[in-house]
Amino acid sequence: MIFVAKNIRAARVNLLMNDYAAGLPSPLSFIGLADAIIRDLGLTSWSGRALPILHRVEPSDGRTKPEMENKSGSFSPVETMEDLVGSVDLSLILDIPECDSDTDLSGALMRRRIAGGLIQNDQVDVTVPPPDGSAFKGLRRGYAILPPDPARPDACAISTGDEASFTGILDTLFPDERKPGSGWFVPVAAGYHLLEDPDETPARIRRRDPNIPHVFAEPVLGLAELVSVRNPRLTGLTEAGLSSLLWSWTVEGDYLFGHASYLSNATHKENIVHG
C-alpha cells in the first residue's frame, strides 16, 4: 500500500548532506524517517521506502558570528554558529509494509524530525492513492527527488572523493545540453562506504542501539534528479515504475546505498561480508 503525506512543514532541517553535497535535505533522511515511523508502529525495521517531493526549501541565514560572553576578563563564545539549516515544505510518498491505516501513519508523523528538523504541522493529511502515477495528482507544484536511472550509467556514478570519479559526476551534473523532459541533476548523499567489518567492531559505548554495531564509514557522493510532479514521466508511471523510484536501503559488500541504482558503480575496496 502506498501512502501520500501532503504539505508537511519542517523547521531547522539540516541541509548539509555529507562532505560533498549541501543545499537540500538528504534523500537518506527520508528513509530514516520511514524507519522511525516503523519503529513507532512496532513493524519490521529497515523495510520502509520513501520518495520526497520538495515544494519549498528556504535556507536560514543564521548567525554570522557566535554570541560572546565575558568570562574571567576575556570574551569567549557561548554558542556555536549555525550550520546550513532551513525551512522545508514537502510531501512524501511512503511505503510502510504491514501498515494499512492512514490514521495511524498520520499520527506517527506528528512531531517527528526530518534531517533533524521538527515537523511543524498540527495535523498531517495522509491519503491512500492508487499505487501508480496517480499518487502525484493533486499535489502542489514541486520536484520529486528521484534516484538515478539505471539505464544511464553516467547518472549512477558515485564518488568517495577521488579525482577521476569526482570529475565524472561533475560532467553529468553540468551537461552541455539537457534532453527534453529531463529534470535537473543535483549532488546528493548516496550512502556510505564501510571502513570496518560490522562483525568485528568492538562494542563502543554510548551507541544508540545495543543490537546495532557502531561502524566507521566514509560518505559517498552520487547524483539524483529533480523532476516536476507535473512531468508525464511521473504522472504516467505504472505501479512497478513508481515502486522502482522509492528510496530504500540497499547493502552490497562494504557499501550501504539509499537506492539500488548506485550498485552498478560500486567498486569494492574490501571483501566485507555483512551479518
Side-chain angles (χ1 to χ4, degrees):
M1 184 180 293
I2 293 293
F3 299 93
V4 176
K6 298 181 179 180
N7 301 324
I8 298 172
R9 299 184 306 276
R12 294 191 58 79
V13 175
N14 182 15
L15 304 180
L16 284 173
M17 299 193 208
N18 62 20
D19 294 346
Y20 309 108
L24 297 174
S26 169
L28 305 182
S29 66
F30 298 100
I31 312 177
L33 174 62
D35 191 61
I37 292 169
I38 282 173
R39 291 169 185 262
D40 271 358
L41 298 178
L43 308 177
T44 304
S45 298
W46 312 113
S47 61
R49 303 190 299 159
L51 181 64
I53 296 102
L54 302 179
H55 305 300
R56 182 184 66 91
V57 177
E58 185 174 341
S60 170
D61 291 336
R63 290 181 181 268
T64 57
K65 294 182 179 180
E67 184 179 347
M68 308 293 283
E69 183 178 272
N70 190 341
K71 294 183 178 180
S72 302
S74 63
F75 283 89
S76 302
V78 295
E79 63 178 357
T80 58
M81 290 180 287
E82 286 191 31
D83 289 327
L84 181 59
V85 298
S87 300
V88 180
D89 290 354
L90 60 101
S91 294
L92 274 174
I93 296 178
L94 291 166
D95 175 20
I96 308 294
E98 304 171 39
C99 177
D100 57 6
S101 170
D102 53 345
T103 302
D104 289 347
L105 180 56
S106 178
L109 279 166
M110 296 302 300
R111 299 305 170 189
R112 274 284 157 203
R113 292 182 180 271
I114 298 172
L118 189 66
I119 291 177
Q120 304 290 300
N121 300 57
D122 294 328
Q123 182 176 351
V124 178
D125 180 19
V126 177
T127 61
V128 184
D132 55 25
S134 303
F136 297 95
K137 295 180 179 178
L139 293 179
R140 292 168 49 191
R141 289 190 177 276
Y143 293 87
I145 306 179
L146 302 187
D149 183 353
R152 288 196 56 179
D154 60 329
C156 298
I158 60 170
S159 176
T160 54
D162 61 281
E163 184 176 348
S165 62
F166 203 75
T167 300
I169 287 180
L170 291 177
D171 289 342
T172 305
L173 186 60
F174 302 108
D176 293 333
E177 60 179 333
R178 293 175 62 241
K179 296 180 180 179
S182 66
W184 299 96
F185 285 109
V186 291
V188 296
Y192 306 93
H193 173 233
L194 303 187
L195 301 177
E196 299 178 291
D197 186 336
D199 292 330
E200 298 179 0
T201 55
R204 297 181 171 111
I205 62 173
R206 298 189 183 91
R207 59 184 181 181
R208 294 183 179 182
D209 189 325
N211 300 314
I212 300 176
H214 178 282
V215 179
F216 285 101
E218 61 182 347
V220 178
L221 174 67
L223 290 171
E225 189 178 6
L226 297 180
V227 175
S228 169
V229 295
R230 303 289 191 264
N231 194 313
R233 285 176 55 190
L234 298 184
T235 58
L237 283 170
T238 63
E239 182 174 347
L242 176 60
S243 179
S244 70
L245 296 180
L246 299 178
W247 295 84
S248 62
W249 292 119
T250 302
V251 178
E252 178 72 22
D254 50 354
Y255 283 90
L256 176 64
F257 290 121
H259 196 272
S261 292
Y262 299 108
L263 292 177
S264 60
N265 284 276
T267 303
H268 305 292
K269 299 178 182 178
E270 301 168 286
N271 184 21
I272 295 179
V273 179
H274 299 279

